[in-house]
Amino acid sequence: MAQTKKALDSLKRQVQKDQKGRGTDSEKVAFIFAGDFNEEADGAVCHLLNTGSIERCFRAPGWPETEVTKADYSHNFALSDLYGSMCNRPHTFCAPPEESGGWGSQVLFGSVDFVFYSREFLRPVSVRQPFTPEQTNMTCGVGIPSAWHFSDHVPIGGVLEFIMDVETLKQVAPVVV
């Protein structure tokens, strides 16, 4: 959470510096915020990016006693989750079986990698399917990294286009490729 707040604050300062004297709103900018957040979509980082704020009382699922932030925090960037409109969020991570881990002898699929974009200025055209059905079958029982993939995460991404006229914005679900 601290890294995300620091990154958003740094972005705001840089944009303000770049747009100083142009007469433009520093929070009206097209950008992409992506990474391995090490938590699922219902976690603190996604909550902050999706809603624009996080309150001191926020608790992550599974950690009801853990304080996520010491103070309320907000930003004015209007962000959307590239994969957020999908009925079933695709997995982006698969830990191999580990008896000492909480998942034991089963592989652990998860969705911990995210791409957020400024929805007022960018529109998704397509998104990358992280695991193909064949890759999912090859991963079951062994996890990744494996013979077919060098990391425990698979690539995510998409194609976004600039929105030139905000008033004509249409909410269209991107095509999965």
Side-chain angles (χ1 to χ4, degrees):
M1 175 54 63
Q3 291 173 319
T4 301
K5 292 191 302 189
K6 185 175 181 176
L8 290 170
D9 289 342
S10 177
L11 176 65
K12 183 176 181 177
R13 282 190 307 275
Q14 186 62 46
V15 170
Q16 285 173 335
K17 178 182 170 187
D18 291 346
Q19 293 186 348
K20 185 177 180 181
R22 293 183 191 178
T24 57
D25 186 345
S26 66
E27 295 180 357
K28 301 292 184 188
V29 62
F31 75 96
I32 296 168
F33 193 99
D36 171 1
F37 297 167
N38 285 320
E39 63 182 16
E40 296 277 339
D42 57 358
V45 173
C46 286
H47 178 83
L48 170 61
L49 296 174
N50 271 318
T51 66
S53 67
I54 191 155
E55 296 74 34
R56 187 173 178 258
C57 63
F58 181 89
R59 296 296 184 263
W63 303 92
E65 304 302 319
T66 304
E67 185 178 74
V68 174
T69 183
K70 296 200 179 297
D72 293 353
Y73 177 86
S74 65
H75 66 83
N76 292 324
F77 298 113
L79 301 174
S80 289
D81 178 355
L82 183 61
Y83 289 87
S85 66
M86 299 178 82
C87 293
N88 295 314
R89 177 175 292 282
H91 297 297
T92 63
F93 166 83
C94 185
E98 185 176 321
E99 291 300 327
S100 63
W103 57 97
S105 62
Q106 300 296 313
V107 297
L108 174 66
F109 281 94
S111 303
V112 298
D113 303 281
F114 298 89
V115 175
F116 282 82
Y117 63 94
S118 49
R119 66 177 167 260
E120 293 179 6
F121 302 100
L122 297 171
R123 177 183 21 237
V125 175
S126 64
V127 296
R128 183 184 191 285
Q129 180 180 0
F131 279 99
T132 66
E134 296 80 21
Q135 291 168 334
T136 300
N137 288 339
M138 289 187 295
T139 303
C140 287
V142 296
I144 51 176
S146 68
W148 72 269
H149 191 66
F150 61 90
S151 174
D152 58 348
H153 295 259
V154 292
I156 60 172
V159 175
L160 296 111
E161 66 183 0
F162 287 102
I163 299 170
M164 297 304 174
D165 183 2
V166 177
E167 294 178 6
T168 62
L169 172 64
K170 295 178 186 174
Q171 292 295 340
V172 178
V175 176
V176 177
V177 292

